Amino acid sequence: AVKSSMDFESAFTSVRKTVDATEAEYGALSDSVKQMSTEVATSASNIAEVMANAGQLGIQNDYLVDFTRTMIDLGNSTDIVANEAASTLAKFANITNMDQSLFGNLGATLVDLGNKFATTESSIMDMSLRLAAAGHQVGLSEAQILGFAAALSSVGIEAEMGGSAFSKALVKMEVAAATGGEALEDF
């Protein structure tokens, strides 16, 4: 018990380093982490590490607990490690300017696509990260970007090559639609 307590305090120190909060807010975050550890199959120390990463990645204090819970749930139910999920989804959200209150929806969409397509959640997220900027530029929602990523990765297209090629195609389609003429007719 003492070792677990020391491990938690050490892990929560990382939260204090990456999250700018008052002592009362730190207390509430600490209580949330401890409570969450009784609800999920992960230690309080691991949960605190994910929360520290979330703070470092720019997740706002109001959404830290929900974000952390979503990442822990993804780590427990998919092929993505919770810290990796946190990093990837936070970057995706930053690129697309996603409202941070929607991380639960994003996680649910990712799991649903992983269950319904012949691909893994990690492959979908890798491809989504490659498509995020171009998809956002042409007006796709986060769910639409994930849908394209699932479709592409389920037919064996690798994120490194396919993501760049599909991003270019999206931008070319947008330009053709905006300018009209022969380029639009080609599409």
mmCIF file with all atom_site columns, all heavy atoms in Angstrom, residues 72-96:
data_model
loop_
_atom_site.group_PDB
_atom_site.id
_atom_site.type_symbol
_atom_site.label_atom_id
_atom_site.label_alt_id
_atom_site.label_comp_id
_atom_site.label_asym_id
_atom_site.label_entity_id
_atom_site.label_seq_id
_atom_site.pdbx_PDB_ins_code
_atom_site.Cartn_x
_atom_site.Cartn_y
_atom_site.Cartn_z
_atom_site.occupancy
_atom_site.B_iso_or_equiv
_atom_site.pdbx_formal_charge
_atom_site.auth_seq_id
_atom_site.auth_comp_id
_atom_site.auth_asym_id
_atom_site.auth_atom_id
_atom_site.pdbx_PDB_model_num
ATOM 1   N N   . ILE A 1 72 ? -7.794  5.992  -21.436 1.00 0.00 ? 72 ILE A N   1
ATOM 2   C CA  . ILE A 1 72 ? -7.657  4.746  -20.679 1.00 0.00 ? 72 ILE A CA  1
ATOM 3   C C   . ILE A 1 72 ? -8.589  3.689  -21.255 1.00 0.00 ? 72 ILE A C   1
ATOM 4   O O   . ILE A 1 72 ? -8.198  2.532  -21.454 1.00 0.00 ? 72 ILE A O   1
ATOM 5   C CB  . ILE A 1 72 ? -7.942  4.976  -19.172 1.00 0.00 ? 72 ILE A CB  1
ATOM 6   C CG1 . ILE A 1 72 ? -6.869  5.893  -18.550 1.00 0.00 ? 72 ILE A CG1 1
ATOM 7   C CG2 . ILE A 1 72 ? -8.044  3.651  -18.424 1.00 0.00 ? 72 ILE A CG2 1
ATOM 8   C CD1 . ILE A 1 72 ? -5.463  5.338  -18.542 1.00 0.00 ? 72 ILE A CD1 1
ATOM 9   N N   . ASP A 1 73 ? -9.827  4.085  -21.558 1.00 0.00 ? 73 ASP A N   1
ATOM 10  C CA  . ASP A 1 73 ? -10.781 3.142  -22.153 1.00 0.00 ? 73 ASP A CA  1
ATOM 11  C C   . ASP A 1 73 ? -10.287 2.644  -23.506 1.00 0.00 ? 73 ASP A C   1
ATOM 12  O O   . ASP A 1 73 ? -10.403 1.450  -23.815 1.00 0.00 ? 73 ASP A O   1
ATOM 13  C CB  . ASP A 1 73 ? -12.162 3.792  -22.303 1.00 0.00 ? 73 ASP A CB  1
ATOM 14  C CG  . ASP A 1 73 ? -12.870 3.974  -20.964 1.00 0.00 ? 73 ASP A CG  1
ATOM 15  O OD1 . ASP A 1 73 ? -12.433 3.367  -19.955 1.00 0.00 ? 73 ASP A OD1 1
ATOM 16  O OD2 . ASP A 1 73 ? -13.854 4.736  -20.923 1.00 0.00 ? 73 ASP A OD2 1
ATOM 17  N N   . LEU A 1 74 ? -9.727  3.543  -24.327 1.00 0.00 ? 74 LEU A N   1
ATOM 18  C CA  . LEU A 1 74 ? -9.165  3.109  -25.623 1.00 0.00 ? 74 LEU A CA  1
ATOM 19  C C   . LEU A 1 74 ? -8.006  2.138  -25.411 1.00 0.00 ? 74 LEU A C   1
ATOM 20  O O   . LEU A 1 74 ? -7.881  1.152  -26.129 1.00 0.00 ? 74 LEU A O   1
ATOM 21  C CB  . LEU A 1 74 ? -8.694  4.316  -26.434 1.00 0.00 ? 74 LEU A CB  1
ATOM 22  C CG  . LEU A 1 74 ? -9.773  5.142  -27.109 1.00 0.00 ? 74 LEU A CG  1
ATOM 23  C CD1 . LEU A 1 74 ? -9.182  6.414  -27.719 1.00 0.00 ? 74 LEU A CD1 1
ATOM 24  C CD2 . LEU A 1 74 ? -10.489 4.332  -28.182 1.00 0.00 ? 74 LEU A CD2 1
ATOM 25  N N   . GLY A 1 75 ? -7.165  2.442  -24.435 1.00 0.00 ? 75 GLY A N   1
ATOM 26  C CA  . GLY A 1 75 ? -6.040  1.558  -24.136 1.00 0.00 ? 75 GLY A CA  1
ATOM 27  C C   . GLY A 1 75 ? -6.493  0.178  -23.680 1.00 0.00 ? 75 GLY A C   1
ATOM 28  O O   . GLY A 1 75 ? -5.848  -0.826 -23.983 1.00 0.00 ? 75 GLY A O   1
ATOM 29  N N   . ASN A 1 76 ? -7.605  0.124  -22.964 1.00 0.00 ? 76 ASN A N   1
ATOM 30  C CA  . ASN A 1 76 ? -8.107  -1.154 -22.463 1.00 0.00 ? 76 ASN A CA  1
ATOM 31  C C   . ASN A 1 76 ? -8.912  -1.933 -23.491 1.00 0.00 ? 76 ASN A C   1
ATOM 32  O O   . ASN A 1 76 ? -9.058  -3.144 -23.369 1.00 0.00 ? 76 ASN A O   1
ATOM 33  C CB  . ASN A 1 76 ? -8.976  -0.931 -21.216 1.00 0.00 ? 76 ASN A CB  1
ATOM 34  C CG  . ASN A 1 76 ? -8.149  -0.568 -20.003 1.00 0.00 ? 76 ASN A CG  1
ATOM 35  O OD1 . ASN A 1 76 ? -6.955  -0.828 -19.945 1.00 0.00 ? 76 ASN A OD1 1
ATOM 36  N ND2 . ASN A 1 76 ? -8.779  0.054  -19.028 1.00 0.00 ? 76 ASN A ND2 1
ATOM 37  N N   . SER A 1 77 ? -9.454  -1.258 -24.512 1.00 0.00 ? 77 SER A N   1
ATOM 38  C CA  . SER A 1 77 ? -10.366 -1.946 -25.426 1.00 0.00 ? 77 SER A CA  1
ATOM 39  C C   . SER A 1 77 ? -9.883  -2.020 -26.875 1.00 0.00 ? 77 SER A C   1
ATOM 40  O O   . SER A 1 77 ? -10.580 -2.593 -27.712 1.00 0.00 ? 77 SER A O   1
ATOM 41  C CB  . SER A 1 77 ? -11.739 -1.269 -25.394 1.00 0.00 ? 77 SER A CB  1
ATOM 42  O OG  . SER A 1 77 ? -11.646 0.057  -25.863 1.00 0.00 ? 77 SER A OG  1
ATOM 43  N N   . THR A 1 78 ? -8.726  -1.431 -27.178 1.00 0.00 ? 78 THR A N   1
ATOM 44  C CA  . THR A 1 78 ? -8.227  -1.440 -28.556 1.00 0.00 ? 78 THR A CA  1
ATOM 45  C C   . THR A 1 78 ? -6.761  -1.843 -28.576 1.00 0.00 ? 78 THR A C   1
ATOM 46  O O   . THR A 1 78 ? -6.182  -2.158 -27.542 1.00 0.00 ? 78 THR A O   1
ATOM 47  C CB  . THR A 1 78 ? -8.364  -0.050 -29.213 1.00 0.00 ? 78 THR A CB  1
ATOM 48  O OG1 . THR A 1 78 ? -7.448  0.857  -28.586 1.00 0.00 ? 78 THR A OG1 1
ATOM 49  C CG2 . THR A 1 78 ? -9.779  0.491  -29.094 1.00 0.00 ? 78 THR A CG2 1
ATOM 50  N N   . ASP A 1 79 ? -6.164  -1.781 -29.758 1.00 0.00 ? 79 ASP A N   1
ATOM 51  C CA  . ASP A 1 79 ? -4.750  -2.107 -29.884 1.00 0.00 ? 79 ASP A CA  1
ATOM 52  C C   . ASP A 1 79 ? -3.850  -0.885 -29.667 1.00 0.00 ? 79 ASP A C   1
ATOM 53  O O   . ASP A 1 79 ? -2.667  -0.939 -29.933 1.00 0.00 ? 79 ASP A O   1
ATOM 54  C CB  . ASP A 1 79 ? -4.462  -2.728 -31.262 1.00 0.00 ? 79 ASP A CB  1
ATOM 55  C CG  . ASP A 1 79 ? -4.595  -1.742 -32.400 1.00 0.00 ? 79 ASP A CG  1
ATOM 56  O OD1 . ASP A 1 79 ? -5.464  -0.847 -32.326 1.00 0.00 ? 79 ASP A OD1 1
ATOM 57  O OD2 . ASP A 1 79 ? -3.819  -1.855 -33.367 1.00 0.00 ? 79 ASP A OD2 1
ATOM 58  N N   . ILE A 1 80 ? -4.419  0.204  -29.173 1.00 0.00 ? 80 ILE A N   1
ATOM 59  C CA  . ILE A 1 80 ? -3.664  1.432  -28.932 1.00 0.00 ? 80 ILE A CA  1
ATOM 60  C C   . ILE A 1 80 ? -3.342  1.513  -27.442 1.00 0.00 ? 80 ILE A C   1
ATOM 61  O O   . ILE A 1 80 ? -4.212  1.326  -26.605 1.00 0.00 ? 80 ILE A O   1
ATOM 62  C CB  . ILE A 1 80 ? -4.468  2.688  -29.339 1.00 0.00 ? 80 ILE A CB  1
ATOM 63  C CG1 . ILE A 1 80 ? -4.918  2.607  -30.794 1.00 0.00 ? 80 ILE A CG1 1
ATOM 64  C CG2 . ILE A 1 80 ? -3.674  3.946  -29.102 1.00 0.00 ? 80 ILE A CG2 1
ATOM 65  C CD1 . ILE A 1 80 ? -5.856  3.724  -31.206 1.00 0.00 ? 80 ILE A CD1 1
ATOM 66  N N   . VAL A 1 81 ? -2.097  1.811  -27.110 1.00 0.00 ? 81 VAL A N   1
ATOM 67  C CA  . VAL A 1 81 ? -1.709  2.044  -25.727 1.00 0.00 ? 81 VAL A CA  1
ATOM 68  C C   . VAL A 1 81 ? -2.264  3.408  -25.318 1.00 0.00 ? 81 VAL A C   1
ATOM 69  O O   . VAL A 1 81 ? -2.278  4.351  -26.115 1.00 0.00 ? 81 VAL A O   1
ATOM 70  C CB  . VAL A 1 81 ? -0.168  2.013  -25.596 1.00 0.00 ? 81 VAL A CB  1
ATOM 71  C CG1 . VAL A 1 81 ? 0.278   2.327  -24.179 1.00 0.00 ? 81 VAL A CG1 1
ATOM 72  C CG2 . VAL A 1 81 ? 0.372   0.677  -26.057 1.00 0.00 ? 81 VAL A CG2 1
ATOM 73  N N   . ALA A 1 82 ? -2.710  3.537  -24.068 1.00 0.00 ? 82 ALA A N   1
ATOM 74  C CA  . ALA A 1 82 ? -3.389  4.754  -23.613 1.00 0.00 ? 82 ALA A CA  1
ATOM 75  C C   . ALA A 1 82 ? -2.550  6.013  -23.849 1.00 0.00 ? 82 ALA A C   1
ATOM 76  O O   . ALA A 1 82 ? -3.066  7.027  -24.320 1.00 0.00 ? 82 ALA A O   1
ATOM 77  C CB  . ALA A 1 82 ? -3.762  4.632  -22.142 1.00 0.00 ? 82 ALA A CB  1
ATOM 78  N N   . ASN A 1 83 ? -1.256  5.986  -23.536 1.00 0.00 ? 83 ASN A N   1
ATOM 79  C CA  . ASN A 1 83 ? -0.414  7.175  -23.740 1.00 0.00 ? 83 ASN A CA  1
ATOM 80  C C   . ASN A 1 83 ? -0.259  7.499  -25.221 1.00 0.00 ? 83 ASN A C   1
ATOM 81  O O   . ASN A 1 83 ? -0.222  8.661  -25.609 1.00 0.00 ? 83 ASN A O   1
ATOM 82  C CB  . ASN A 1 83 ? 0.958   6.995  -23.087 1.00 0.00 ? 83 ASN A CB  1
ATOM 83  C CG  . ASN A 1 83 ? 0.915   7.241  -21.600 1.00 0.00 ? 83 ASN A CG  1
ATOM 84  O OD1 . ASN A 1 83 ? 0.183   8.107  -21.123 1.00 0.00 ? 83 ASN A OD1 1
ATOM 85  N ND2 . ASN A 1 83 ? 1.684   6.474  -20.857 1.00 0.00 ? 83 ASN A ND2 1
ATOM 86  N N   . GLU A 1 84 ? -0.172  6.461  -26.046 1.00 0.00 ? 84 GLU A N   1
ATOM 87  C CA  . GLU A 1 84 ? -0.089  6.667  -27.500 1.00 0.00 ? 84 GLU A CA  1
ATOM 88  C C   . GLU A 1 84 ? -1.397  7.256  -28.022 1.00 0.00 ? 84 GLU A C   1
ATOM 89  O O   . GLU A 1 84 ? -1.405  8.165  -28.854 1.00 0.00 ? 84 GLU A O   1
ATOM 90  C CB  . GLU A 1 84 ? 0.203   5.334  -28.182 1.00 0.00 ? 84 GLU A CB  1
ATOM 91  C CG  . GLU A 1 84 ? 0.285   5.402  -29.689 1.00 0.00 ? 84 GLU A CG  1
ATOM 92  C CD  . GLU A 1 84 ? 0.416   4.024  -30.314 1.00 0.00 ? 84 GLU A CD  1
ATOM 93  O OE1 . GLU A 1 84 ? 1.057   3.146  -29.697 1.00 0.00 ? 84 GLU A OE1 1
ATOM 94  O OE2 . GLU A 1 84 ? -0.129  3.836  -31.412 1.00 0.00 ? 84 GLU A OE2 1
ATOM 95  N N   . ALA A 1 85 ? -2.516  6.738  -27.515 1.00 0.00 ? 85 ALA A N   1
ATOM 96  C CA  . ALA A 1 85 ? -3.826  7.272  -27.910 1.00 0.00 ? 85 ALA A CA  1
ATOM 97  C C   . ALA A 1 85 ? -3.927  8.737  -27.529 1.00 0.00 ? 85 ALA A C   1
ATOM 98  O O   . ALA A 1 85 ? -4.400  9.562  -28.319 1.00 0.00 ? 85 ALA A O   1
ATOM 99  C CB  . ALA A 1 85 ? -4.947  6.466  -27.242 1.00 0.00 ? 85 ALA A CB  1
ATOM 100 N N   . ALA A 1 86 ? -3.474  9.073  -26.339 1.00 0.00 ? 86 ALA A N   1
ATOM 101 C CA  . ALA A 1 86 ? -3.534  10.465 -25.881 1.00 0.00 ? 86 ALA A CA  1
ATOM 102 C C   . ALA A 1 86 ? -2.761  11.371 -26.816 1.00 0.00 ? 86 ALA A C   1
ATOM 103 O O   . ALA A 1 86 ? -3.251  12.423 -27.238 1.00 0.00 ? 86 ALA A O   1
ATOM 104 C CB  . ALA A 1 86 ? -3.000  10.573 -24.450 1.00 0.00 ? 86 ALA A CB  1
ATOM 105 N N   . SER A 1 87 ? -1.555  10.969 -27.142 1.00 0.00 ? 87 SER A N   1
ATOM 106 C CA  . SER A 1 87 ? -0.713  11.782 -28.016 1.00 0.00 ? 87 SER A CA  1
ATOM 107 C C   . SER A 1 87 ? -1.323  11.933 -29.406 1.00 0.00 ? 87 SER A C   1
ATOM 108 O O   . SER A 1 87 ? -1.441  13.041 -29.931 1.00 0.00 ? 87 SER A O   1
ATOM 109 C CB  . SER A 1 87 ? 0.676   11.153 -28.122 1.00 0.00 ? 87 SER A CB  1
ATOM 110 O OG  . SER A 1 87 ? 1.476   11.863 -29.026 1.00 0.00 ? 87 SER A OG  1
ATOM 111 N N   . THR A 1 88 ? -1.762  10.838 -29.989 1.00 0.00 ? 88 THR A N   1
ATOM 112 C CA  . THR A 1 88 ? -2.291  10.859 -31.348 1.00 0.00 ? 88 THR A CA  1
ATOM 113 C C   . THR A 1 88 ? -3.601  11.627 -31.432 1.00 0.00 ? 88 THR A C   1
ATOM 114 O O   . THR A 1 88 ? -3.785  12.480 -32.306 1.00 0.00 ? 88 THR A O   1
ATOM 115 C CB  . THR A 1 88 ? -2.485  9.424  -31.870 1.00 0.00 ? 88 THR A CB  1
ATOM 116 O OG1 . THR A 1 88 ? -1.246  8.721  -31.767 1.00 0.00 ? 88 THR A OG1 1
ATOM 117 C CG2 . THR A 1 88 ? -2.934  9.417  -33.310 1.00 0.00 ? 88 THR A CG2 1
ATOM 118 N N   . LEU A 1 89 ? -4.524  11.354 -30.521 1.00 0.00 ? 89 LEU A N   1
ATOM 119 C CA  . LEU A 1 89 ? -5.817  12.031 -30.574 1.00 0.00 ? 89 LEU A CA  1
ATOM 120 C C   . LEU A 1 89 ? -5.707  13.510 -30.241 1.00 0.00 ? 89 LEU A C   1
ATOM 121 O O   . LEU A 1 89 ? -6.425  14.326 -30.821 1.00 0.00 ? 89 LEU A O   1
ATOM 122 C CB  . LEU A 1 89 ? -6.834  11.341 -29.670 1.00 0.00 ? 89 LEU A CB  1
ATOM 123 C CG  . LEU A 1 89 ? -7.654  10.251 -30.375 1.00 0.00 ? 89 LEU A CG  1
ATOM 124 C CD1 . LEU A 1 89 ? -6.811  9.031  -30.690 1.00 0.00 ? 89 LEU A CD1 1
ATOM 125 C CD2 . LEU A 1 89 ? -8.850  9.847  -29.545 1.00 0.00 ? 89 LEU A CD2 1
ATOM 126 N N   . ALA A 1 90 ? -4.817  13.873 -29.338 1.00 0.00 ? 90 ALA A N   1
ATOM 127 C CA  . ALA A 1 90 ? -4.630  15.298 -29.027 1.00 0.00 ? 90 ALA A CA  1
ATOM 128 C C   . ALA A 1 90 ? -4.043  16.037 -30.230 1.00 0.00 ? 90 ALA A C   1
ATOM 129 O O   . ALA A 1 90 ? -4.485  17.143 -30.556 1.00 0.00 ? 90 ALA A O   1
ATOM 130 C CB  . ALA A 1 90 ? -3.733  15.464 -27.809 1.00 0.00 ? 90 ALA A CB  1
ATOM 131 N N   . LYS A 1 91 ? -3.082  15.431 -30.908 1.00 0.00 ? 91 LYS A N   1
ATOM 132 C CA  . LYS A 1 91 ? -2.524  16.055 -32.116 1.00 0.00 ? 91 LYS A CA  1
ATOM 133 C C   . LYS A 1 91 ? -3.596  16.192 -33.198 1.00 0.00 ? 91 LYS A C   1
ATOM 134 O O   . LYS A 1 91 ? -3.707  17.231 -33.847 1.00 0.00 ? 91 LYS A O   1
ATOM 135 C CB  . LYS A 1 91 ? -1.351  15.226 -32.649 1.00 0.00 ? 91 LYS A CB  1
ATOM 136 C CG  . LYS A 1 91 ? -0.113  15.306 -31.796 1.00 0.00 ? 91 LYS A CG  1
ATOM 137 C CD  . LYS A 1 91 ? 0.968   14.359 -32.314 1.00 0.00 ? 91 LYS A CD  1
ATOM 138 C CE  . LYS A 1 91 ? 2.156   14.308 -31.370 1.00 0.00 ? 91 LYS A CE  1
ATOM 139 N NZ  . LYS A 1 91 ? 3.135   13.281 -31.775 1.00 0.00 ? 91 LYS A NZ  1
ATOM 140 N N   . PHE A 1 92 ? -4.380  15.131 -33.382 1.00 0.00 ? 92 PHE A N   1
ATOM 141 C CA  . PHE A 1 92 ? -5.472  15.154 -34.361 1.00 0.00 ? 92 PHE A CA  1
ATOM 142 C C   . PHE A 1 92 ? -6.436  16.293 -34.043 1.00 0.00 ? 92 PHE A C   1
ATOM 143 O O   . PHE A 1 92 ? -6.819  17.064 -34.923 1.00 0.00 ? 92 PHE A O   1
ATOM 144 C CB  . PHE A 1 92 ? -6.192  13.797 -34.355 1.00 0.00 ? 92 PHE A CB  1
ATOM 145 C CG  . PHE A 1 92 ? -7.370  13.718 -35.280 1.00 0.00 ? 92 PHE A CG  1
ATOM 146 C CD1 . PHE A 1 92 ? -7.187  13.460 -36.628 1.00 0.00 ? 92 PHE A CD1 1
ATOM 147 C CD2 . PHE A 1 92 ? -8.663  13.890 -34.808 1.00 0.00 ? 92 PHE A CD2 1
ATOM 148 C CE1 . PHE A 1 92 ? -8.268  13.380 -37.494 1.00 0.00 ? 92 PHE A CE1 1
ATOM 149 C CE2 . PHE A 1 92 ? -9.756  13.810 -35.666 1.00 0.00 ? 92 PHE A CE2 1
ATOM 150 C CZ  . PHE A 1 92 ? -9.554  13.549 -37.005 1.00 0.00 ? 92 PHE A CZ  1
ATOM 151 N N   . ALA A 1 93 ? -6.824  16.402 -32.774 1.00 0.00 ? 93 ALA A N   1
ATOM 152 C CA  . ALA A 1 93 ? -7.760  17.453 -32.356 1.00 0.00 ? 93 ALA A CA  1
ATOM 153 C C   . ALA A 1 93 ? -7.166  18.838 -32.559 1.00 0.00 ? 93 ALA A C   1
ATOM 154 O O   . ALA A 1 93 ? -7.868  19.772 -32.957 1.00 0.00 ? 93 ALA A O   1
ATOM 155 C CB  . ALA A 1 93 ? -8.159  17.255 -30.900 1.00 0.00 ? 93 ALA A CB  1
ATOM 156 N N   . ASN A 1 94 ? -5.866  18.993 -32.300 1.00 0.00 ? 94 ASN A N   1
ATOM 157 C CA  . ASN A 1 94 ? -5.219  20.289 -32.510 1.00 0.00 ? 94 ASN A CA  1
ATOM 158 C C   . ASN A 1 94 ? -5.201  20.659 -33.986 1.00 0.00 ? 94 ASN A C   1
ATOM 159 O O   . ASN A 1 94 ? -5.447  21.807 -34.344 1.00 0.00 ? 94 ASN A O   1
ATOM 160 C CB  . ASN A 1 94 ? -3.795  20.282 -31.950 1.00 0.00 ? 94 ASN A CB  1
ATOM 161 C CG  . ASN A 1 94 ? -3.759  20.304 -30.441 1.00 0.00 ? 94 ASN A CG  1
ATOM 162 O OD1 . ASN A 1 94 ? -4.704  20.726 -29.780 1.00 0.00 ? 94 ASN A OD1 1
ATOM 163 N ND2 . ASN A 1 94 ? -2.663  19.838 -29.875 1.00 0.00 ? 94 ASN A ND2 1
ATOM 164 N N   . ILE A 1 95 ? -4.930  19.706 -34.849 1.00 0.00 ? 95 ILE A N   1
ATOM 165 C CA  . ILE A 1 95 ? -4.872  19.974 -36.292 1.00 0.00 ? 95 ILE A CA  1
ATOM 166 C C   . ILE A 1 95 ? -6.245  20.378 -36.822 1.00 0.00 ? 95 ILE A C   1
ATOM 167 O O   . ILE A 1 95 ? -6.362  21.295 -37.630 1.00 0.00 ? 95 ILE A O   1
ATOM 168 C CB  . ILE A 1 95 ? -4.341  18.737 -37.063 1.00 0.00 ? 95 ILE A CB  1
ATOM 169 C CG1 . ILE A 1 95 ? -2.873  18.491 -36.717 1.00 0.00 ? 95 ILE A CG1 1
ATOM 170 C CG2 . ILE A 1 95 ? -4.510  18.923 -38.566 1.00 0.00 ? 95 ILE A CG2 1
ATOM 171 C CD1 . ILE A 1 95 ? -2.342  17.147 -37.197 1.00 0.00 ? 95 ILE A CD1 1
ATOM 172 N N   . THR A 1 96 ? -7.280  19.698 -36.344 1.00 0.00 ? 96 THR A N   1
ATOM 173 C CA  . THR A 1 96 ? -8.628  19.947 -36.867 1.00 0.00 ? 96 THR A CA  1
ATOM 174 C C   . THR A 1 96 ? -9.392  21.016 -36.075 1.00 0.00 ? 96 THR A C   1
ATOM 175 O O   . THR A 1 96 ? -10.546 21.307 -36.396 1.00 0.00 ? 96 THR A O   1
ATOM 176 C CB  . THR A 1 96 ? -9.464  18.650 -36.862 1.00 0.00 ? 96 THR A CB  1
ATOM 177 O OG1 . THR A 1 96 ? -9.581  18.168 -35.517 1.00 0.00 ? 96 THR A OG1 1
ATOM 178 C CG2 . THR A 1 96 ? -8.849  17.593 -37.757 1.00 0.00 ? 96 THR A CG2 1
#
